[in-house]
Amino acid sequence: MRLVIARCSVDYAGRLTAHLPSAPRLILVKADGSVSIHADDRAYKPLNWMSPPCTLKEGTGDEEGVWTVINKAGEKLIITMEEVLHDSSHELGVDPGLIKDGVEAHLQELLADRIETLGDGYTLIRREYMTAIGPVDILCRDADGQTVAVEIKRRGEIDGVEQLTRYLDLLNRDPHLAPVRGIFAAQEIKPQARVLATDRGIGCHVMDYDALRGIEDDKLRLF
């Protein structure tokens, strides 16, 4: 990972345009190719970003100090450096992944045992299917025989969709599995996560913990 703190302005050109005026900011360049721009007052959320796969070109000569990030759709993130205050690179290695809490792990176990809740004809390949960047919660096949990767969360947020996107990128490089599509499964899926998943062709599945455990909902029903 490369960390750059610089006074810079940022312009985005794609499906829409956006401009960040000059200010000190943190720029993260990750090993997966993603680039994100951060301020000091937005918690973990970036001001702007470019998801992988994308390419970063650092300008030279008359364009020295201008970074151009281009994704596969041709959208551009242009970072114009005015003053670099810090620039360092660090090798983090492969992350072991987030250790799931008890409920999340139980959801994975229950869904694997009741994989047909995803749809008729679904069959389990295995739980915790290992990849180079961590284990996919569930790998299965649908009724048509297509491979499906399932990422499970208690609360479905954007970070979970990004995680599943990275898994799908790797899995689709394996000719024995490809094509692989994704399902993002959670007890609750945030609207922003659902929009991002839909944009990336990832299905969403809301899990009913009690129903998976075979416990009837004790609320009154009209039908």
Side-chain angles (χ1 to χ4, degrees):
M1 179 183 292
R2 183 178 178 186
L3 295 85
V4 178
I5 299 175
R7 177 173 290 278
C8 63
S9 60
V10 183
D11 292 278
Y12 174 83
R15 286 170 289 184
L16 50 81
T17 58
H19 174 73
L20 294 172
S22 176
R25 297 187 176 95
L26 168 65
I27 304 166
L28 296 182
V29 183
K30 294 186 179 180
D32 63 4
S34 63
V35 179
S36 55
I37 316 296
H38 298 261
D40 210 14
D41 63 345
R42 301 296 178 92
Y44 65 91
K45 294 184 178 180
L47 297 167
N48 214 327
W49 68 93
M50 194 69 83
S51 299
C54 56
T55 58
L56 168 62
K57 177 183 177 183
E58 298 184 42
T60 58
D62 293 340
E63 294 189 349
E64 185 175 1
V66 178
W67 290 13
T68 303
V69 187
I70 305 175
N71 67 11
K72 62 181 180 180
E75 298 168 317
K76 294 183 179 180
L77 189 68
I78 301 171
I79 307 167
T80 304
M81 309 284 192
E82 298 173 14
E83 180 184 10
V84 176
L85 305 173
H86 175 85
D87 188 345
S88 63
S89 297
H90 307 270
E91 181 59 53
L92 302 184
V94 177
D95 191 88
L98 181 68
I99 298 174
K100 297 180 181 296
D101 64 25
V103 173
E104 207 166 277
H106 196 205
L107 282 169
Q108 182 193 116
E109 180 183 352
L110 289 169
L111 185 58
D113 287 342
R114 298 161 177 79
I115 198 68
E116 68 279 358
T117 59
L118 293 176
D120 293 337
Y122 272 72
T123 56
L124 178 68
I125 296 176
R126 67 166 298 164
R127 293 172 52 195
E128 299 287 330
Y129 185 89
M130 187 56 65
T131 74
I133 58 173
V136 177
D137 287 336
I138 290 177
L139 198 68
C140 58
R141 295 192 190 279
D142 63 17
D144 297 322
Q146 183 177 0
T147 310
V148 181
V150 184
E151 179 63 27
I152 298 171
K153 302 292 184 187
R154 288 182 66 185
R155 296 180 60 190
E157 302 193 44
I158 285 177
D159 287 352
V161 179
E162 294 283 8
Q163 183 180 358
L164 179 54
T165 300
R166 293 192 292 271
Y167 287 146
L168 290 171
D169 181 60
L170 282 176
L171 293 170
N172 274 299
R173 299 177 194 177
D174 186 339
H176 299 292
L177 297 175
V180 185
R181 63 182 180 89
I183 293 179
F184 188 49
Q187 290 179 277
E188 174 193 3
I189 299 178
K190 296 294 185 181
Q192 299 93 331
R194 188 178 290 275
V195 169
L196 181 60
T198 301
D199 182 66
R200 295 185 177 179
I202 294 172
C204 292
H205 178 76
V206 177
M207 305 174 68
D208 187 327
Y209 186 44
D210 287 340
L212 283 171
R213 290 190 299 166
I215 299 175
E216 289 293 325
D217 191 343
D218 61 358
K219 295 180 181 178
L220 293 176
R221 298 182 181 178
L222 293 177
F223 304 98

